Amino acid sequence: MLGKADVYSDSLIKQTIETWQSLANRTVTRRDAEEIIANMSGVINLLQSWSEGEVPAGTFADTIPCAHGTPSRDSEGEQP
């Protein structure tokens, strides 16, 4: 099984530390950088799925107004 260290390049880790260090009130470690990368990737994937109309029923996304209005659901939580 691959660990996080095997997934992210040293260059990406270094760039992440440099980018986020000015925003942190403490030293950003390699482990912090790995977590930041994973979290940001998750947010981007979530936003992309929302933009493609994939909003899981019963989630916070149900309450966020979109350009075309709040996603509607039937009684079982499915999009029409």
Side-chain angles (χ1 to χ4, degrees):
M1 179 175 185
L2 291 176
K4 287 180 186 177
D6 300 321
V7 177
Y8 306 125
S9 70
D10 287 337
S11 174
L12 180 59
I13 295 291
K14 181 180 177 192
Q15 183 178 7
T16 302
I17 291 171
E18 289 172 359
T19 300
W20 288 88
Q21 186 60 65
S22 65
L23 302 170
N25 58 1
R26 63 178 178 80
T27 301
V28 177
T29 66
R30 182 178 183 91
R31 182 176 170 103
D32 294 331
E34 292 169 349
E35 188 172 341
I36 289 166
I37 295 165
N39 289 340
M40 294 302 295
S41 296
V43 168
I44 290 167
N45 288 334
L46 178 64
L47 292 174
Q48 182 177 9
S49 70
W50 288 357
S51 74
E52 295 169 355
E54 300 173 19
V55 181
T59 64
F60 175 72
D62 285 336
T63 64
I64 299 174
C66 303
H68 57 275
T70 302
S72 60
R73 304 276 177 207
D74 65 17
S75 61
E76 302 205 3
E78 297 296 320
Q79 285 183 307

